[in-house]
């Protein structure tokens, strides 16, 4: 008789019962994914509703948002919602929209051609740090309206940036001759700075003394104190710095925070001044 043979079982797949191959995503990952999807859904609905309620080109943008998820809502957010609501982007994100805005203002200036449009273009260029082109825009505005205060002031700021103190002085002086109160002392302060660069310390000190009686700007008071100290009038310098610190300490907290730098410089200078 033949010996009874045991049936041969097929070789087992070593991965067949490996539980790690069939596990679903972890609970944490599932929660993160669900949370992200929920947030995007809220954002998508928000953009869609905003588009339908406010955008003049709502028909076009409605289909962009609806047909091209997730990018449609993001495109609408950056190109339509942010500029319309005048939201300040973080510094790193501003170049995303800056060039588009500059192109729009340049087109308006070239097509309409009035001083107002050139000033708006010049201001945007100055804020973007494109100073040479900004100066050209201001100069075109001045050519059209020689007494345009915004154009004269913008050009004076750019000239000061280029250290062209003579031109900056001439432009700021013209603004002050038209409106001595323009920009609440900023023009007068720039004029004082040009005097510090171009004229004698005595004339600059005299003008700063007049300026600080009207506008108690910490920067102007510190400049005046510096000139007083350089002239050897340490008592006057100390008095000016102490009054500056009193002004800052007596102002609302939000305003005082803006002048922390000048407060620190005044304290350092007071420590260096010889005792009376």
């Amino acid at each position: 008789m033949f010996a009874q043979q045991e049936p041969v079982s097929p070789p087992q797949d070593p991965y067949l019962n490996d539980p790690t191959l069939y596990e679903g995503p972890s609970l944490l990952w599932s929660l993160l994914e669900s949370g992200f999807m929920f947030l995007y859904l809220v954002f998508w609905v928000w953009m869609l509703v905003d588009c339908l309620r406010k955008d003049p080109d709502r028909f076009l943008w409605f289909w962009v948002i609806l047909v091209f998820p997730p990018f449609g809502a993001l495109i609408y957010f950056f190109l339509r919602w942010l500029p319309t609501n005048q939201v300040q982007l973080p510094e790193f994100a501003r170049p995303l929209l800056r060039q588009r805005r500059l192109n729009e203002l340049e087109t308006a200036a070239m097509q309409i051609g009035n001083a107002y449009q050139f000033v708006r273009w010049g201001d945007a260029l100055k804020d973007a740090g494109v100073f040479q082109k900004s100066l050209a825009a201001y100069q075109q505005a001045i050519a059209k309206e020689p007494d345009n205060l915004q154009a004269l002031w913008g050009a004076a700021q750019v000239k000061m940036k280029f250290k062209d103190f003579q031109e900056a002085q001439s432009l700021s002086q013209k603004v002050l001759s038209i409106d001595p109160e323009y920009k609440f002392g900023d023009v007068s302060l720039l004029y004082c700075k040009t005097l510090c660069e171009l004229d004698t310390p005595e004339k600059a000190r005299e003008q700063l003394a007049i300026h600080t009686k009207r506008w108690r700007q910490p920067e102007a008071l510190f400049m005046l104190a510096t000139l007083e100290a350089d002239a050897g009038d340490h008592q006057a310098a100390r008095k000016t710095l102490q009054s500056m610190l009193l002004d800052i300490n007596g102002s609302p907290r939000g305003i005082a925070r803006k002048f922390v730098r000048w407060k620190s410089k005044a304290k350092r200078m007071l420590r260096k001044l010889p005792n009376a």
Side-chain angles (χ1 to χ4, degrees), residues 6-252:
E6 296 183 1
V8 179
S9 58
Q12 292 188 349
D13 187 343
Y15 301 104
L16 184 61
N17 298 315
D18 187 351
T20 60
L21 297 176
Y22 304 99
E23 285 183 353
S26 67
L27 178 61
L28 178 60
W29 178 257
S30 298
L31 290 173
L32 288 174
E33 188 176 13
S34 300
F36 176 78
M37 293 300 295
F38 175 75
L39 290 175
Y40 175 75
L41 179 62
V42 171
F43 173 75
W44 184 84
V45 172
W46 173 34
M47 290 296 100
L48 195 63
V49 171
D50 185 87
C51 169
L52 292 173
R53 289 181 58 194
K54 301 178 183 178
D55 201 290
D57 298 325
R58 59 179 60 88
F59 181 78
L60 169 65
W61 286 103
F62 170 80
W63 287 108
V64 170
I65 297 170
L66 193 67
V67 177
F68 301 105
F71 302 108
L74 292 170
I75 292 171
Y76 178 82
F77 177 76
F78 283 107
L79 295 187
R80 304 294 286 189
W81 191 89
L82 283 177
T84 301
N85 291 273
Q86 297 182 339
V87 175
Q88 284 284 353
L89 289 175
E91 189 65 34
F92 71 88
R94 289 177 190 174
L96 297 174
L97 296 178
R98 182 180 294 161
Q99 191 56 50
R100 179 174 179 270
R101 179 65 176 161
L102 290 175
N103 292 340
E104 290 175 353
L105 292 171
E106 181 179 12
T107 301
M110 295 304 176
Q111 290 182 345
I112 301 172
N114 58 30
Y116 170 74
Q117 298 297 339
F118 278 106
V119 168
R120 290 185 68 204
W121 185 32
D123 287 344
L125 288 165
K126 176 166 63 67
D127 292 342
V130 189
F131 297 112
Q132 191 62 55
K133 204 169 181 180
S134 171
L135 179 61
Y138 289 133
Q139 288 171 337
Q140 291 190 66
I142 294 169
K144 295 175 182 298
E145 292 182 14
D147 292 337
N148 188 299
L149 291 176
Q150 288 178 282
L152 291 167
W153 171 231
Q157 289 176 290
V158 177
K159 286 291 187 180
M160 195 69 180
K161 186 77 177 177
F162 289 153
K163 300 188 183 303
D164 188 349
F165 303 118
Q166 192 70 52
E167 275 298 309
Q169 185 179 89
S170 175
L171 290 164
S172 58
Q173 203 167 13
K174 186 171 183 179
V175 174
L176 292 172
S177 68
I178 299 170
D179 183 2
E181 305 289 319
Y182 190 68
K183 293 295 179 181
F184 306 103
D186 287 350
V187 184
S188 178
L189 179 59
L190 188 142
Y191 176 65
C192 290
K193 289 179 180 178
T194 64
L195 288 177
C196 291
E197 296 291 343
L198 297 172
D199 285 289
T200 61
E202 292 79 12
K203 185 173 181 180
R205 180 179 171 182
E206 180 184 344
Q207 186 63 36
L208 276 166
I210 296 170
H211 172 90
T212 52
K213 287 180 182 178
R214 176 68 181 85
W215 292 288
R216 304 283 297 174
Q217 296 154 311
E219 184 178 2
L221 288 165
F222 185 82
M223 288 169 59
L224 176 59
T226 302
L227 291 173
E228 290 169 340
D230 290 344
D233 195 348
H234 300 133
Q235 186 175 357
R238 184 176 294 277
K239 184 178 178 181
T240 300
L241 293 171
Q242 288 172 340
S243 68
M244 169 187 161
L245 291 172
L246 286 173
D247 287 348
I248 295 174
N249 292 333
S251 60

